[in-house]
């Protein structure tokens, strides 16, 4: 019975240039495409149609769109940089604060104990105007920030002013990856397995393909208002250590 393919199927990748790394499942898979691009060199004379064709490079590339976001993708498939746990960097986006009416004109952020801290701006709530950071002794419209204590210091001229403060802090839990400009040629190698199953009159028909060795060429993270982020992951296949490239299986 004829086999058809319907839907996106299942896509899983596993890093192979190092051992004991967890596979990554492309969760909530939206689409997968594979391109087999065979370069041909034509031999022509005075007539329009080639008299011979020579096949050269075969480029196998692919693209996957999915919804799941996990550190394994960035660490084991894209960068090859190991991540650490328990040091999640967070940003407090617009923490509401009021400068005291009397001295000291200071405000201690809500996450003061989660160091290290870094200032990312202060804005007046009434006008949206940004205050200017200074090292110490702020005048009206200025402020200073102590990264050790999480304390914002303002001028007496800003007494009772309502402001929004932005800063980063280090939360417990989560995962963090620090990319430190590695040498060229160190991108991770991974194998990729794809399977789709479609029932035709009650008979399951499968198409599976395993790419033995791949590297990622691009990762896009489109963030948009009122939309889910659907990452786009591009990759290219190459021969593995044994000289094999892929295995294709079909029910028919």
């Amino acid at each position: 019975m004829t086999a058809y393919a319907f839907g996106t199927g299942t896509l899983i990748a596993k890093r192979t240039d190092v051992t004991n790394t967890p596979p990554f499942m492309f969760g909530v898979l939206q689409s997968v495409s594979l391109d087999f691009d065979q370069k041909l060199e034509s031999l022509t004379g005075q007539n329009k149609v080639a008299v011979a064709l020579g096949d050269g490079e075969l480029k196998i590339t692919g693209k996957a769109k999915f919804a799941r976001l996990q550190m394994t993708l960035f660490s084991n498939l894209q960068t090859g940089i190991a991540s650490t746990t328990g040091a999640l960097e967070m940003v407090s986006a617009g923490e509401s604060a009021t400068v005291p009416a009397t001295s000291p004109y200071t405000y201690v952020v809500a996450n003061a104990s989660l160091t290290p801290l870094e200032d990312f701006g202060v804005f007046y709530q009434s006008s949206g105007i940004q205050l200017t950071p200074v090292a110490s002794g702020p005048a009206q419209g200025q402020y200073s920030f102590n990264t050790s204590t999480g304390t914002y210091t303002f001028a007496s001229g800003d007494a009772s002013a309502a402001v929004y403060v932005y800063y980063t802090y280090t939360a417990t839990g989560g995962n963090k990856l620090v990319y430190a400009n590695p040498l060229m040629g160190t991108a991770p190698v991974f194998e990729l397995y794809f399977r789709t199953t479609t029932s035709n009159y009650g008979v399951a028909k499968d198409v599976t393909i395993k790419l033995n060795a791949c590297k990622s060429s691009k990762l896009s993270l489109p963030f948009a208002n009122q939309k889910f982020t659907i990452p786009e992951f591009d990759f290219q296949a190459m021969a593995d250590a044994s000289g094999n490239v892929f295995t294709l299986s079909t029910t028919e």
Side-chain angles (χ1 to χ4, degrees):
M1 186 177 293
T2 303
Y4 303 105
F6 182 82
T8 56
T10 301
L11 186 67
I12 304 174
K14 183 175 71 173
R15 187 175 180 183
T16 55
D17 58 323
V18 296
T19 59
N20 300 320
T21 58
F24 176 75
M25 176 174 287
F26 293 80
V28 196
L29 191 62
Q30 303 294 297
S31 65
V32 181
S33 63
L34 293 174
D35 295 320
F36 296 81
D37 185 4
Q38 175 70 69
K39 182 179 181 180
L40 296 176
E41 184 69 26
S42 61
L43 175 64
T44 59
Q46 62 181 353
N47 296 323
K48 292 184 177 181
V49 179
V51 298
L53 291 174
D55 51 299
E57 176 189 8
L58 173 61
K59 182 181 292 186
I60 304 173
T61 58
K63 184 188 302 288
K65 293 183 178 181
F66 53 99
R68 185 185 186 191
L69 294 172
Q70 188 182 29
M71 182 58 76
T72 302
L73 168 69
F74 305 99
S75 179
N76 292 330
L77 303 187
Q78 184 66 28
T79 66
I81 305 298
S83 62
T84 57
T85 59
L88 181 64
E89 288 196 5
M90 300 289 289
V91 60
S92 179
E95 183 175 308
S96 181
T98 301
V99 180
T102 59
S103 180
Y105 304 102
T106 59
Y107 172 76
V108 180
V109 299
N111 300 290
S113 63
L114 300 179
T115 57
L117 303 167
E118 184 177 357
D119 168 55
F120 270 86
V122 178
F123 299 82
Y124 289 116
Q125 292 188 22
S126 59
S127 64
I129 295 176
Q130 185 173 5
L131 284 72
T132 302
V134 294
S136 61
Q140 186 174 8
Q142 299 178 337
Y143 69 93
S144 63
F145 182 64
N146 187 318
T147 58
S148 299
T149 63
T151 302
Y152 281 95
T153 300
F154 300 91
S156 59
D158 283 315
S160 301
V163 295
Y164 290 119
V165 296
Y166 292 74
Y167 62 94
T168 60
Y169 60 94
T170 304
T172 57
N175 302 282
K176 182 173 71 173
L177 184 152
V178 178
Y179 195 78
N181 201 14
L183 293 172
M184 292 183 182
T186 58
V189 179
F190 54 90
E191 61 182 6
L192 202 66
Y193 180 84
F194 172 74
R195 178 189 178 187
T196 180
T197 301
T198 303
S199 179
N200 190 9
Y201 293 99
V203 180
K205 302 294 183 178
D206 295 339
V207 176
T208 65
I209 184 167
K210 178 184 178 183
L211 300 177
N212 295 17
C214 303
K215 283 193 174 186
S216 173
S217 57
K218 183 180 179 181
L219 174 62
S220 299
L221 297 171
F223 298 98
N225 189 34
Q226 300 188 58
K227 289 184 178 181
F228 285 103
T229 295
I230 303 297
E232 186 173 304
F233 184 76
D234 294 7
F235 53 88
Q236 182 171 335
M238 62 181 179
D240 64 14
S242 300
N244 298 316
V245 180
F246 67 86
T247 301
L248 175 66
S249 303
T250 62
T251 303
E252 294 293 320

